Amino acid sequence: MRLTIDDVRSRFIKHFDGTTGSVYASPGRINLIGEHTDYNNGFVFPGAVQQGMIAEIKPNGTRNVNAYSIDLKDKVTFSLDDPKGPSASWARYIFGVCREMMELGIPVEGFNTAFAGDVPLGAGMSSSAALESCFAFAINDLWGDNKIEKMELARVGQRTEHKYIGCNCGIMDQFASVHGKAGSLMRLDCRSGEFAYFPWEPKGYKLVLVNSQVKHTLAGSPYNDRRLSCERVAAVIGKHHAEVETLRDANYDMLEEVKAEVSDEDYKRAKYVIGEVDRVLKVCDALEAGDYETVGQMMYATHYGLSKEYEVSCEELDFLNDVAKEEGVTGSRIMGGGFGGCTINLVADELYDNFVKVVKEKFAAKYGKDPIIIDVVIGDGSRKLC
Ligand code: GLA
C-alpha cells in the first residue's frame, strides 16, 4: 500500500495541537548503473522512485523542533540551538538538515512535524536521502524563499550524512531525490555537477527490484573504508600523473603502473571503480541505440565487480544474481551501497512473470523467507504536496 497525505496528516493532527501545516514529499531512488562512482567524481545514472517520505510541518513559534516518526512511533524534541542534537539516529537526520540550512543563512524556526515513509529501510533505495531531501526542500520553502539551488539542497543532505551520521557518502542519493522527474533517469557527472534527463521508456522490458531483506546500514560500515581505498590509490597514481585527482581521471594502464605501490585490496577496489565509470557511459550510449542487451551485460559486469573486486555483496545477493542469470534475465546486479539490500533486474516482458515466481520460490527454499518484489516506476523529486 502506498503512503498517502492522509496517513501523515491524521497523525500530525493527533500528535500536535489539532491544526494542520504544509506537506512535503521526497522520493527514494534506483540506480541503473554507476555504483560507488559518485565519491570518485565519476558518473551515476539514477532515477527517483514513487516511494518516498512525506512530512507535515508547521512552525510552532519556539526554537524547538518536535518531531514524530509515524513508522517508529517515536517522538523527539530538540533545540535548533543546541549543537549536540538528539541521540535518536532518525532525528539526527532532521537536526543535521536544520543545522546545515542555518549554516547557509536560512532563518530556520522551531516547528512541529510528523513524517512517514514507504521506501523499505536498508534496501539500498536511499530512505535516508529521502528524509534529508524532504526536510531540506521544506525548510527552503518555509524559511528560505526557495532561494537555495536544488544541487545545494542535495549537498545539505550529503553534509548531514558526513557530519551528523558518520557516513561519508557521495552525492548520488540526495541528488536523485531532489532532482527526480517522472519517467526519466538522470546521468550526473559528479565532478562538474552537470546532468541530463534520459527518458526511461524501455520497449519490451521492465525494471524490477528483488529485496533480499538483508538489512544494511552504511554508517560506520566498510563503506567509508572503500572510499579511503579509492583515495589512497588515486593519490599514488597522482604522484606519477599530475592530472589524476580522483579515480575518475585514472585508467587501467595507470593502475597497473602503480600495482606494486598499493595493497592488493586497494588495487582490486580501484580496478572495479575504473571499470564502472566507463560502464556508465557505455550504458548511456547503448540506451540511445535501444541496445538493452548491452545494458544488461554491463549490469552483470557491475555485479561481478561489486561482488569480487569491491567486495560489497553478500551471499543472498549473489544468489539472487545467479537466479536471474539462470532465468535468462537481461541484466541484474546489486543496487546501492551494498552489504545487503536489493538487486535491480532488467527483465524482458515475456520472462517477467516466470522470473518473479522462480526467484521467490528459490530464495524462500534456501533462506526461509520471501524476497520482496518491487516494480520500478520512475517518479518525481522533492515537492510540496499541499
Ligand atoms: C550509497 C551512497 C551513495 C553511493 C552509493 C553507491 O547509496 O549514499 O553516495 O556511493 O551508496 O553507489
Side-chain angles (χ1 to χ4, degrees), residues 26-29 38 44 46 48 93 97 125-134 136-137 149-162 165 167-180 186 188 218 223 381-382:
S26 212
R29 59 109 190 88
D38 55 357
V44 291
Y93 289 105
V97 169
M125 293 175 72
S126 303
S127 48
S128 56
L131 181 61
E132 292 147 8
S133 305
C134 191
F137 186 90
E149 297 279 320
K150 282 184 169 183
M151 194 59 100
E152 190 57 33
L153 293 180
R155 289 200 196 98
V156 161
Q158 185 192 24
R159 287 199 293 274
T160 296
E161 295 275 353
H162 291 195
I165 304 297
C167 174
N168 294 330
C169 65
I171 193 67
M172 170 169 72
D173 304 351
Q174 293 80 7
F175 161 81
S177 186
V178 173
H179 293 81
M186 298 164 283
L188 170 69
L218 296 184
Y223 180 92
S382 308

Side-chain angles (χ1 to χ4, degrees), residues 44-65:
V44 291
F45 205 178
V49 290
Q50 290 190 318
Q51 295 88 340
M53 290 287 170
I54 297 182
E56 179 142 9
I57 303 179
K58 186 170 187 191
N60 60 20
T62 73
R63 297 296 297 155
N64 284 347
V65 172

Side-chain angles (χ1 to χ4, degrees), residues 16-30:
F16 297 106
D17 60 8
T19 61
T20 58
S22 307
V23 183
Y24 299 87
S26 212
R29 59 109 190 88
I30 55 117

